Each structure stands twice: as structure tokens, then as C-alpha cells.
Amino acid sequence: MERQLIRSERRGKVALVRLASDNTLNPLTDALIDALVLAMQHIESDPAVHATVLTGSERAFAAGADIVAMSKLDYATAFSEDYIGRNWDHFRALRKPVVAAVGGYALGGGCELAMMCDIVIAARNAMFGQPEIKLGIVPGAGGTQRLPRAAGKSTAMLACLTGESLTASEALACGLVSKVVEPEVLVEEALRIGEQIARHSLPVILAIKEAVNRSFESSLAEGLLFERRLFHAGFALADQKEGMAAFLGRRNAAFSNR
């Protein structure tokens, strides 16, 4: 099942993971999310991989959740089976950086999945949105929580309350994405960024991701203390000694990831 729904390959220290449903809109079925989580967990356990690029088809990163399956749910089933939370929550626990390469539609769960990634690169034809209100339901994988943090309250309210989509340029202007590129170079640009990340010390990469994520979960004072302790702890790393020696010696660092 994983081979049918997810395609994964290595590009040096970067993993390229592609949502590859038979439906090019990549509806986020339970089976697809299960396969994605399994692929990402394999990457997490591979010390040779430092970063991941996640992308979809040319038509869509992912155009939303599995509406057919959702239409059959009742409250008791959704709650008791922890629908969405059961498998999606594993994705937000990933420690290694994930770069989303978004082309075409990223709507509903697709937009939420992109926002769960650490960096979002968009093709010029990308469309982002939370159209759940049109289905008579509230976003369920972070649309009302991550979107205001990324794009601000007003933009999030507009998207969630009207169901209107954001173009790639609008998403860039409000901070939802980091960069907009032409569709034909989308994956290559995301891989380039992944490779930039991956050339550095893995313990430091993990620490930086953890620190940035902590900024959304704590006060400024607590976040600054957390950052300072990670900064101090870094002086125990062999990579810190190598990085500073390389800088002073005007050479490229050879990190050992310890």
C-alpha cells in the first residue's frame, strides 16, 4: 500500500517524498496518511537523512480530505476513533525539517498538511484554502490554529469563514509561504533548500527546529530561556568545535553529527 500511495527516494542527505494517489488531486484518505506517516517515520530513523521535501502531483499538493469517508461519519465514531488525530498527530511530532513543495491545489487538509511542514515553497499556480465551511464543518487538522499564526487573524478569518482561496502571491504576501517559483522548478528549488539545511550538523538542525516551534507554545521569556539553554548545550558538541575551527581556518566544516 505504501508503494502505491507514497513514493520516496533519497537525494544525498535529503529525502524526496511524493503523495502519489491514483487520483491526481491526492485526497487525504486514512490509507494515504498512514502510508505517509510510515514513510516519514522511516526517514526519522535514518541518520543519513537530515531533511525531507514533501510534494504532490502537478495538479495538486493535496486538494483536501476524503469527503466520501467523512460523509459517512457520525459524532460517536469520529470522536471514539479520533478521526484525523489518530494518524495526523504523528506528523507534527517529526523532529527533522520538512520542506513542502506545493503546486496546484492545497485545500482543506492539503493546506493544513502544508502548514504542518517547516518551510513552504509554492509554485506560481498554487492555491491555498480552508473551504470546510462550504461542507458545513470546521477545519479539523489545524486550519483555525496554524493559519492565523502563519498569516494573521484577519486573513485566517477570511479564508475559514468564506472558503475563499489564496493565490501563491497572496500566500507569500501574508507569510504563509516562504517563496514562490515557477512550477517547472518547484521540486528542484525545494530540494536545493533541503540540501542547504542537510549540509549542517544534524543535532543543531533538530535543536533549531525544536526552538522555533517552542516559540509558538510559550511566552517570550520562556522561549528565550529555552533557546539560551540549547545555545549553551551546543558547546558540548564536537560539531561546534569543528564549525568554529573551520570558520577560523577559512575552510568548509566537516560535521560528524555529534
Side-chain angles (χ1 to χ4, degrees), residues 201-217:
S201 167
L202 182 57
V204 178
I205 292 169
L206 301 180
I208 289 174
K209 174 171 175 173
E210 187 175 6
V212 173
N213 283 336
R214 180 61 68 96
S215 73
F216 291 99
E217 307 292 340

Side-chain angles (χ1 to χ4, degrees), residues 54-69:
L54 177 63
T55 192
S57 69
E58 292 183 4
R59 188 180 179 195
F61 177 72
D66 184 359
I67 306 302
V68 174

Side-chain angles (χ1 to χ4, degrees), residues 55-235:
T55 192
S57 69
E58 292 183 4
R59 188 180 179 195
F61 177 72
D66 184 359
I67 306 302
V68 174
M70 286 202 301
S71 68
K72 300 173 183 177
L73 290 174
D74 56 25
Y75 170 76
T77 303
F79 180 71
S80 62
E81 295 183 358
D82 193 19
Y83 184 67
I84 291 182
R86 178 189 67 79
N87 43 15
W88 286 68
D89 283 351
H90 291 288
F91 195 89
R92 68 175 183 172
L94 298 174
R95 299 182 68 202
K96 295 179 181 178
V98 182
V99 180
V102 179
Y105 298 111
L107 304 176
C111 184
E112 291 167 319
L113 181 60
M115 289 190 292
M116 293 174 77
C117 298
D118 302 298
I119 298 170
V120 183
I121 308 301
R124 201 165 298 282
N125 66 344
M127 297 291 291
F128 299 84
Q130 299 292 158
E132 287 87 350
I133 194 168
K134 297 178 180 180
L135 302 174
I137 199 167
V138 173
T144 67
Q145 301 303 302
R146 290 189 177 91
L147 189 54
R149 285 170 167 79
K153 176 184 174 181
S154 182
T155 297
M157 286 288 193
L158 180 64
C160 292
L161 290 175
T162 68
E164 291 183 2
S165 297
L166 298 171
T167 64
S169 59
E170 290 170 334
L172 178 65
C174 70
L176 180 58
V177 307
S178 299
K179 193 171 187 178
V180 176
V181 299
E182 296 302 325
E184 57 269 20
V185 299
L186 172 65
V187 173
E188 287 75 10
E189 177 62 16
L191 284 168
R192 185 190 67 80
I193 291 170
E195 288 162 1
Q196 276 192 308
I197 295 168
R199 67 170 61 116
H200 301 299
S201 167
L202 182 57
V204 178
I205 292 169
L206 301 180
I208 289 174
K209 174 171 175 173
E210 187 175 6
V212 173
N213 283 336
R214 180 61 68 96
S215 73
F216 291 99
E217 307 292 340
S218 62
S219 68
L220 177 59
E222 291 170 339
L224 288 170
L225 179 60
F226 185 80
E227 177 191 73
R228 190 66 45 79
R229 292 295 175 257
L230 288 176
F231 171 73
H232 291 158
F235 288 92

